[in-house]
Amino acid sequence: MVLDCGAVHVIDFRYYLVSIVSIFLALAVGIVLGAGPLQQDIGARLTEQIKTLRAEKTQLRTDLDTARRNAAARDTFSSAVAPAVLKGRLTGKTVALVVAPGVDADLVKNATASLIAAGAKVGSTVTLNDVWADPSKITLRNTVASPFATLATAPAAAGSPDQLAVTVLTHAILAGTDHSTERITASASAALNGLAAGDLISVTPDHVVPSSSVVFLSGPVKGSTQQDTDARLAAYVQLVRSLDAAGSGVVVAAKSNSTDPTKSADLVAAARKNSDAVKVISTVDDADLPMGLNTLVMALEQQYTGGAGQYGLAGDAKAIVPDLT
């Protein structure tokens, strides 16, 4: 059977007409329902959701304000009791500061002030340059350190290939485990100045004040790749362990993690994950807070008695402060 063109046009017109009528009918039904029974239900739900969101926003604001007041009160209390808490804890001790790249200047200033308030004398302050932990600069570090190995009573071949510069620095600033700082410092000063001339470190004052312990202030550790970052962290952990072995203790301290307070800073986290380091060194992950500065002093005091602990507010800390009993 053959349809003529007129019949086809009639069918097409009817098809479009039915489609258009269906669309308008659906719209009409939607309007009727929306204006009737559904309107009340949808409106009620939206109103209830808005009320809930407003209540949650108000509660979150209240919680935030409370947390801020609590933090301010904590800091005020810690600062107020610091003189009594710190007094005499490190009397007679000489402490060296080793400062990693990227450390905030306020952290250095406040850590120094807390040590002095505890009765300690702050010896040499050694700031490591970025080349110190760069895995591509091992040969450079050893070349710079080699002429001074005997001056710092460091063996020429000490363990791993990257140990020489570590050993020279360690023996240049530390007096040993007998807590004595009465030794000839000329050779140690020459060694330290040699590392500075080789652009591995900078140091103040320009003469060595032999110390019996170290506070190691750490900053962010970031390499070009994850492998590079891991190598830098390993170099710092190696230095920390060497400093601990040559003296009466080491405390690694850092600012709170600004992006995630539940996590500790890079080097603190690495030291806490190192099964050997964690047995002998102490860490403080909140040294930017007055409470953390008090903890730093108490942790160093504990180091002199042979103790070690991992302190602060991060999730990998074992306690907030050392057990004073």
Side-chain angles (χ1 to χ4, degrees), residues 74 252-256 261-264 268 272 282-289 291-293 295-296 299 309-322:
R74 174 203 63 203
V252 178
K255 294 175 61 175
S256 306
T262 64
K263 296 181 179 179
S264 54
V268 171
R272 290 174 175 177
S282 296
T283 58
V284 177
D285 62 49
D286 57 350
D288 53 321
L289 305 177
M291 179 177 67
L293 291 170
T295 302
L296 186 156
Q310 318 310 317
Y311 305 113
L313 300 176
D316 53 359
K318 300 302 181 185
I320 296 176
V321 296

Side-chain angles (χ1 to χ4, degrees), residues 89-103:
R89 289 189 178 276
L90 298 175
T91 297
K93 304 295 191 291
T94 303
V95 184
L97 282 180
V98 177
V99 183
V103 171

Side-chain angles (χ1 to χ4, degrees), residues 1 57-58 84 102 116 146 168 207 220 230 234 274 280 286-287 300 313 319:
M1 180 177 64
K57 178 183 177 182
T58 300
I116 293 173
S146 181
V168 169
H207 63 280
D230 292 342
N274 187 293
V280 293
D286 57 350
L300 187 59
L313 300 176

Side-chain angles (χ1 to χ4, degrees), residues 60-296:
L60 288 173
R61 170 57 62 182
T62 300
D63 292 343
L64 178 60
D65 291 342
T66 301
R68 286 174 173 169
R69 285 196 300 270
N70 290 344
R74 174 203 63 203
D75 292 345
T76 299
F77 176 81
S78 298
S79 298
V81 303
V85 170
L86 301 183
K87 185 177 180 180
R89 289 189 178 276
L90 298 175
T91 297
K93 304 295 191 291
T94 303
V95 184
L97 282 180
V98 177
V99 183
V103 171
D104 187 85
D106 285 341
L107 181 58
V108 180
K109 180 182 70 175
N110 294 335
T112 300
S114 295
L115 293 170
I116 293 173
K121 178 180 180 180
V122 177
S124 302
T125 298
V126 177
T127 302
L128 306 176
N129 294 336
D130 191 61
V131 69
W132 183 272
D134 188 339
S136 68
K137 304 296 184 181
I138 292 177
T139 300
L140 171 63
R141 289 195 291 272
N142 286 334
T143 300
V144 171
S146 181
F148 308 101
T150 56
L151 293 178
T153 64
S160 69
D162 196 28
Q163 188 71 24
L164 185 55
V166 168
T167 307
V168 169
L169 177 61
T170 297
H171 286 265
I173 63 177
L174 287 168
T177 57
D178 61 357
H179 302 194
S180 171
T181 59
E182 301 298 327
R183 69 181 177 95
I184 303 299
T185 62
S187 60
S189 293
L192 210 57
N193 291 335
L195 296 181
D199 204 29
L200 300 186
I201 64 171
S202 58
V203 58
T204 56
D206 56 5
H207 63 280
V208 172
V209 179
S211 303
S212 55
S213 64
V214 171
V215 170
F216 192 109
L217 300 178
S218 65
V221 181
K222 300 297 179 186
S224 57
T225 64
Q226 186 59 51
Q227 183 179 13
D228 186 19
T229 299
D230 292 342
R232 291 170 184 266
L233 287 169
Y236 288 130
V237 172
Q238 179 190 61
L239 173 57
V240 169
R241 292 187 61 194
S242 178
L243 292 167
D244 176 78
S248 297
V250 174
V251 175
V252 178
K255 294 175 61 175
S256 306
N257 190 318
S258 59
T259 57
D260 186 354
T262 64
K263 296 181 179 179
S264 54
D266 300 324
L267 180 56
V268 171
R272 290 174 175 177
K273 291 176 182 177
N274 187 293
S275 59
D276 294 320
V278 77
K279 296 175 184 177
V280 293
I281 69 168
S282 296
T283 58
V284 177
D285 62 49
D286 57 350
D288 53 321
L289 305 177
M291 179 177 67
L293 291 170
N294 293 346
T295 302
L296 186 156

Side-chain angles (χ1 to χ4, degrees), residues 4-17:
D4 61 21
C5 292
V8 172
H9 286 242
V10 170
I11 293 173
D12 287 344
F13 174 75
R14 289 176 179 175
Y15 173 78
Y16 288 117
L17 180 62

